[in-house]
């Protein structure tokens, strides 16, 4: 119980879940309500930990795909210009292709 109090504020997912399960096993039938609460807590922490891992992996995959597709948006915008000469040249080249 003292170990649970130490890690209860900032629980590392796997340690906290295992600690709750061990405490629930130790309590057993002596206190069924506390046993059920500890098991529910261990499952909740495990699910939250898995969800965070999934979200992190998806975000990392999207960042990697965005980097492969064209890099940062600032890199894409760097090639644009508001110079009237560049705009005129692009219009002329489009007209000549038509």
């Amino acid at each position: 119980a003292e170990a649970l109090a130490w890690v209860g504020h900032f629980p590392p997912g796997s340690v906290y879940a295992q600690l709750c399960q061990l405490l629930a096993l130790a309590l057993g039938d002596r206190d069924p309500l506390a046993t059920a609460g500890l098991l529910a807590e261990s499952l909740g922490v495990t699910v939250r930990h898995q969800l965070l891992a999934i979200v992190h992996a998806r975000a990392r995959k999207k960042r990697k795909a965005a980097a492969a597709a064209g890099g940062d948006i600032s890199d894409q915008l760097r090639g644009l210009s508001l110079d009237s000469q560049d705009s005129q040249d692009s219009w002329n080249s489009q007209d000549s292709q038509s």
Side-chain angles (χ1 to χ4, degrees):
E2 188 176 336
L4 184 63
W6 276 96
V7 298
H9 296 293
F10 303 105
S14 59
V15 173
Y16 187 75
Q18 287 179 344
L19 188 58
C20 286
Q21 290 171 359
L22 287 173
L23 284 171
L25 186 62
L27 283 176
D29 292 334
R30 286 181 284 150
D31 191 357
L33 188 60
T35 302
L38 286 167
L39 289 175
E41 183 74 16
S42 75
L43 289 175
V45 168
T46 302
V47 169
R48 277 195 308 270
H49 185 261
Q50 289 174 344
L51 181 62
L52 285 173
I54 290 169
V55 167
H56 179 69
R58 286 183 183 171
R60 185 177 52 229
K61 190 180 289 186
K62 284 185 179 184
R63 280 194 307 268
K64 191 174 183 180
D72 192 17
I73 189 73
S74 62
D75 293 336
Q76 294 174 4
L77 293 175
R78 199 171 286 133
L80 298 177
S81 174
L82 296 176
D83 186 23
S84 62
Q85 183 63 32
D86 290 341
S87 299
Q88 190 70 338
D89 289 344
S90 67
W91 279 106
N92 290 338
S93 66
Q94 287 177 358
D95 288 341
S96 65
Q97 291 176 357
S98 307

